[in-house]
Amino acid sequence: MKTLKSNLKQPIIFARIIAVSIAIFLCASCDNGNGKRLAKAKNDPAGTYREYLSDIRRQKRLSIKELTGHLKQWQTLRDSVFLYLECDTLGRLHSTVKEECEQIHDSIRMEFSRMVLSQTRTYKDILWVKEQISPHLEDKELHRVAETIRPFFASLDNQPVSQRNRQHILATYQATLAETIDYGIHCMADLTTFIEKEDAVYRAFLSRLPDFDGENLSDITHDTERCCAQVFLAAERNDITYRNAMIYLAMRTNRRLIQNVRTCIDDICNKKVKTPAQAQAYIWMLLQPYSSLDGFCLALLSAEEREQLDMLALQTPDAFRELGRMLHPGDNRLDELPGMLMEAFIHTL
């Protein structure tokens, strides 16, 4: 099952590659007095940041919407403070100012951790926070392009799924990946063909997920990496655009994550998870949308996919409780897990 967990990690790895590849500097305006702070930051960055820390320390129990609003303010002010420090090419500010701002930054982050953990959070809350503070949320051009691509991904559901045994599914999966590696990706038709064929074998794989307990899937893991690398190599050769490479792979990631979680919850409900090793792997897969989906991927979700994720988020606590009973009977403090995941996310900002 350890190799299964490694295989299912690949969509997340490439989601992060996509996020890094398209990262852009964004400094949006913000209300509630933040405009004055942004102006003040140019003359006194440390003092401005320290003042914001004092304000945050006075905050107590915040709703998820209030918390998100403060996170947006922090991002804007943080960008202003550190951008000004970086632009201080004449050395007008003493080097200790930057160190002080970094220390204040860590303190602010700890205060947000306190506010997150001050009350129970949900898995829907995690998705909502990530979505709302994403710099891509209001990217109309990105949404327009995604809408033109979406019919292709919707059509994937029409592809038949193999009902054969696990040996045949693995052999077909390996052959599909090998074909892509051997031929390469040289145009958009090659990219869509790869995604179409891989999606069909991946759904077949998920249909028999419990059967692969203990199966060595390292070849599939490695070849999947090589196939996705082919997409970026095609972009480097200008066979396809980087924009298409990133958007198609991100939408592929979204689709696979939703398929993973839906399969896990169905298998748990149908009592197909039998061993502690399987339970541990299923826990890891259930966590993926909340621990790994970034703002770019979330911005590319359709309304239907977003609704599906919210529904799965509502079902996730019961699924975790069922798996928890298999691993550690008794109080597993599972209600605290969404808050801890949200805290971990804030520490990456």
Side-chain angles (χ1 to χ4, degrees), residues 27-35 37-38 49 52 55-56 59 66-81 108 112 133:
C27 185
S29 61
C30 204
D31 293 327
N32 299 325
N34 219 40
R37 282 207 178 101
L38 294 179
Y49 221 23
Y52 183 72
D55 288 349
I56 289 297
Q59 304 299 323
E66 292 170 331
L67 178 66
T68 304
H70 282 288
L71 283 170
K72 287 182 177 180
Q73 289 182 353
W74 178 34
Q75 284 187 301
T76 303
L77 181 61
R78 173 207 60 198
D79 290 347
S80 179
V81 166
I108 292 173
F112 273 108
I133 68 173

Side-chain angles (χ1 to χ4, degrees), residues 68-183:
T68 304
H70 282 288
L71 283 170
K72 287 182 177 180
Q73 289 182 353
W74 178 34
Q75 284 187 301
T76 303
L77 181 61
R78 173 207 60 198
D79 290 347
S80 179
V81 166
F82 285 98
L83 179 62
Y84 182 65
L85 290 172
E86 291 174 7
C87 292
D88 182 36
T89 56
L90 299 178
R92 291 170 294 183
L93 297 175
H94 197 278
S95 61
T96 57
V97 175
K98 183 175 182 180
E99 294 177 3
E100 183 179 1
C101 287
E102 289 172 347
Q103 292 173 355
I104 295 170
H105 179 82
D106 290 339
S107 297
I108 292 173
R109 202 161 49 183
M110 293 305 296
E111 288 301 316
F112 273 108
S113 292
R114 171 187 60 79
M115 289 188 287
V116 165
L117 299 176
S118 66
Q119 59 193 84
T120 302
R121 306 298 179 180
T122 68
Y123 294 101
K124 284 182 64 176
D125 289 344
I126 299 172
L127 295 173
W128 198 83
V129 168
K130 285 188 171 187
E131 179 185 63
Q132 291 300 308
I133 68 173
S134 168
H136 310 288
L137 182 62
E138 303 299 332
D139 189 336
K140 294 181 180 179
E141 175 62 16
L142 178 65
H143 295 161
R144 185 193 66 78
V145 174
E147 287 306 312
T148 65
I149 296 173
R150 215 172 295 288
F152 163 72
F153 281 92
S155 71
L156 298 180
D157 292 328
N158 298 325
Q159 298 298 317
V161 173
S162 173
Q163 302 298 320
R164 304 282 295 274
N165 59 32
R166 71 176 189 174
Q167 287 80 13
H168 181 269
I169 290 172
L170 280 182
T172 304
Y173 205 155
Q174 291 166 335
T176 298
L177 297 176
E179 180 182 348
T180 300
I181 294 168
D182 291 342
Y183 182 76

